[in-house]
Amino acid sequence: MENTSIILSDLDGTLFRDDKSISDFTKETIRQAQAKGLLFGICTSRAKVNAVKFLEGIEPDILITNGGGIVYYQDKKIYDCEFTVEEIRKLIAAAFEVFGKDVIISADNEHALYSNSRDELGDKFWTYNDFSDFRETCMKMCIESLDKEKVEKVASVIGLDQIDYLPFSDIPWYKLSKKAATKEKAIEELCRHLNIESSQIAAFGDDFNDIGMLKLCGKGIAMENAIEEVKNAADQVCASNEKDGVAKWIKDNLFILK
């Protein structure tokens, strides 16, 4: 652990408590870590416009959002990967064809998170769009379904070898993004930009799309509340999100070295 210089944390189920808050203890621990020379970053599937709404009291050095579609370092964008307008329109059309006209979908980019639901789903801050004539590039599209076979039919209009598609464990949705718009790919680009090795990163997560990140980084830490697949992929398991697991692990494992 002596060479750890970056801490990356997922948000939902990881840095967030169940009510989407971040404790004062965690915020202070992050500030202390940064004061000791460690870089702190967020690595989340949330759209950038959504994620930043919850970070009051935290000033991340690194912001990886939209499932890995965008990477910011010190407020400067260093990487992005998105579906073209033509690609996202094909995916949207396929979703309606495969699932029917009443299917709920979302699509996000750097500026907005769109959905054809008129309801505010949780805390996701949708901008309503019926997708009848959608003409924006997007990092990610989500479909309210856990039917893998149907999701694959949608993804096939672009090419299964071109798309990363994974379910969420806590909500009945599938995420679709380009192969180069994953958390692990974003981290590789960050390492290239900073000229460091991924072994210098300690990463925290709890869900399917965190598995690649935890395997890639020098120390992959699963939350106690993580799904079993994440725990099996991790190097270590820390306390749950409700018990400030990220902050406690940082104090116990990194502060003694700084």
Side-chain angles (χ1 to χ4, degrees):
M1 295 306 299
E2 287 80 3
N3 70 335
T4 299
S5 58
I6 296 176
I7 304 162
L8 288 179
S9 177
D10 178 44
L11 289 180
D12 294 273
T14 304
L15 200 69
F16 286 167
R17 290 182 168 178
D18 290 346
D19 64 0
K20 311 305 180 187
S21 67
I22 302 175
S23 72
D24 290 339
F25 171 73
T26 292
K27 292 178 182 179
E28 179 58 28
T29 299
I30 291 169
R31 287 192 289 268
Q32 290 175 9
Q34 290 171 307
K36 291 175 181 290
L38 292 162
L39 297 177
F40 178 80
I42 299 299
C43 192
T44 179
S45 283
R46 285 178 178 260
K48 179 174 180 286
V49 293
N50 183 349
V52 297
K53 296 177 183 292
F54 295 89
L55 299 181
E56 182 179 356
I58 296 176
E59 296 183 5
D61 304 288
I62 299 155
L63 197 58
I64 299 173
T65 63
N66 302 73
I70 309 175
V71 183
Y72 273 83
Y73 173 66
Q74 304 291 24
D75 295 324
K76 179 181 179 181
K77 183 164 64 174
I78 62 172
Y79 178 74
D80 63 17
C81 179
E82 56 192 5
F83 291 118
T84 65
V85 172
E86 181 182 4
E87 288 172 332
I88 198 68
R89 284 171 64 84
K90 284 183 178 180
L91 289 170
I92 290 169
F96 286 126
E97 180 179 349
V98 171
F99 287 95
K101 63 181 179 62
D102 294 327
V103 67
I104 302 300
I105 62 176
S106 69
D108 59 64
N109 54 32
E110 187 170 4
H111 310 292
L113 172 58
Y114 301 102
S115 175
N116 61 340
S117 170
R118 290 192 178 276
D119 298 324
E120 186 71 32
L121 302 181
D123 53 31
K124 294 181 173 58
F125 307 104
W126 304 116
T127 295
Y128 177 76
N129 193 299
D130 64 8
F131 295 116
S132 60
D133 190 30
F134 190 73
R135 296 185 182 274
E136 294 191 35
T137 58
C138 285
M139 278 78 181
K140 182 171 92 268
M141 172 177 158
C142 294
I143 302 173
E144 189 180 28
S145 174
L146 288 178
D147 190 325
K148 182 179 180 181
E149 184 176 342
K150 287 186 175 181
V151 171
E152 286 182 343
K153 287 182 180 179
V154 175
S156 68
V157 301
I158 303 298
L160 296 181
D161 61 332
Q162 300 296 314
I163 290 187
D164 182 76
Y165 53 99
L166 286 171
F168 294 96
S169 67
D170 57 339
I171 53 174
W173 287 71
Y174 252 88
K175 177 230 38 146
L176 296 86
S177 64
K178 299 195 98 169
K179 285 284 189 182
T182 62
K183 291 186 177 185
E184 52 268 33
K185 179 61 178 177
I187 292 169
E188 289 174 351
E189 294 297 328
L190 173 68
C191 290
R192 185 174 294 111
H193 180 79
L194 297 179
N195 194 28
I196 66 168
E197 300 295 329
S198 59
S199 59
Q200 295 175 240
I201 303 174
F204 298 81
D206 72 300
D207 210 343
F208 288 111
N209 67 343
D210 296 316
I211 291 174
M213 171 176 72
L214 300 194
K215 287 183 174 181
L216 173 66
C217 293
K219 197 70 172 180
I221 304 104
M223 310 304 294
E224 178 57 41
N225 52 284
I227 59 175
E228 286 303 311
E229 292 88 340
V230 174
K231 290 181 180 179
N232 292 337
D235 301 302
Q236 193 173 342
V237 176
C238 69
S240 73
N241 63 319
E242 283 288 282
K243 295 183 179 179
D244 296 324
V246 172
K248 289 178 180 177
W249 189 94
I250 291 171
K251 278 186 172 290
D252 291 344
N253 292 273
L254 297 183
F255 280 12
I256 60 174
L257 302 174
K258 295 292 180 178

